[in-house]
Amino acid sequence: MTNQDRGTDPEISGKPTSASRTTLSHIMTGNDTNLLGTVHGGVIMKLVDDVAGAVAGRHSGGPAVTASMDEMAFLEPVRVGDLVHVKAQVNWTGRSSMEVGVRVLAERWNESTPAVQVGSAYLVFAAVDADGKPRPVPQVVPETERDRRRYQEAQIRRTHRLARRRAIMELRQNRAAEGFED
């Protein structure tokens, strides 16, 4: 598929996946805990959004805003004293949108044990200009087999997001036509 087919600006050259790949690391403290004594999911979600925003901004070459977060999965609890690594990359690009995949890993700050994956998420960002209007983004160029798999999976998630949105809008229109209010 060419940039013309995708609706992207042919004047913008593509960027490899590695060009914007980023890792944010943070030691979790007592200020980050929930009532159960583990790190609050919202703290992890903020780190996820922060690193994804940095990746989207790097890839697009300017401001990008969070449009949606899909499939935030918490796999293991994060504890006080864990060194959390939040790794992100652009998986897919459209005209002005980008899907960013994020993996969250945790390791004890004072041990030499391997990091364990504790979460993952997919976020969609929209590149915007100074007026907050969508602007074109470079096509992401997958470099490895893993990158190509992530690109294909991102296309599936996009298809499902759009189908879900259409189905919900259709249901709302049908209910409104039947006289039901929201």
Side-chain angles (χ1 to χ4, degrees), residues 46 51 58 63 71 87 107 140 148 169:
K46 177 161 183 354
V51 75
R58 273 187 177 178
E71 300 179 38
K87 300 175 177 256
E107 62 181 308
V140 68
R148 283 184 275 286
M169 293 308 294

Side-chain angles (χ1 to χ4, degrees), residues 131-179:
D131 297 322
K133 303 290 184 209
R135 62 181 176 80
V137 299
Q139 180 178 2
V140 68
V141 180
E143 299 172 279
T144 66
E145 275 308 309
R146 179 179 281 176
D147 292 341
R148 283 184 275 286
R149 176 186 54 79
R150 288 177 176 163
Y151 185 91
Q152 291 170 331
E153 290 173 357
Q155 288 178 305
I156 292 168
R157 281 187 293 275
R158 179 177 187 272
T159 299
H160 286 226
R161 272 192 301 272
L162 294 174
R164 183 176 61 234
R165 185 180 304 147
R166 278 192 304 272
I168 289 170
M169 293 308 294
E170 184 178 307
L171 174 67
R172 288 178 181 174
Q173 289 171 354
N174 290 342
R175 288 186 55 81
E178 294 170 1

Side-chain angles (χ1 to χ4, degrees), residues 70-82:
D70 289 352
E71 300 179 38
M72 180 71 214
F74 297 100
L75 307 173
E76 298 282 336
V78 177
R79 306 199 182 289
V80 171
D82 282 353

Side-chain angles (χ1 to χ4, degrees), residues 86-101:
V86 189
K87 300 175 177 256
Q89 72 175 47
V90 173
N91 290 335
W92 177 90
T93 52
R95 283 187 303 273
S96 61
S97 63
M98 301 157 275
E99 184 197 88
V100 178

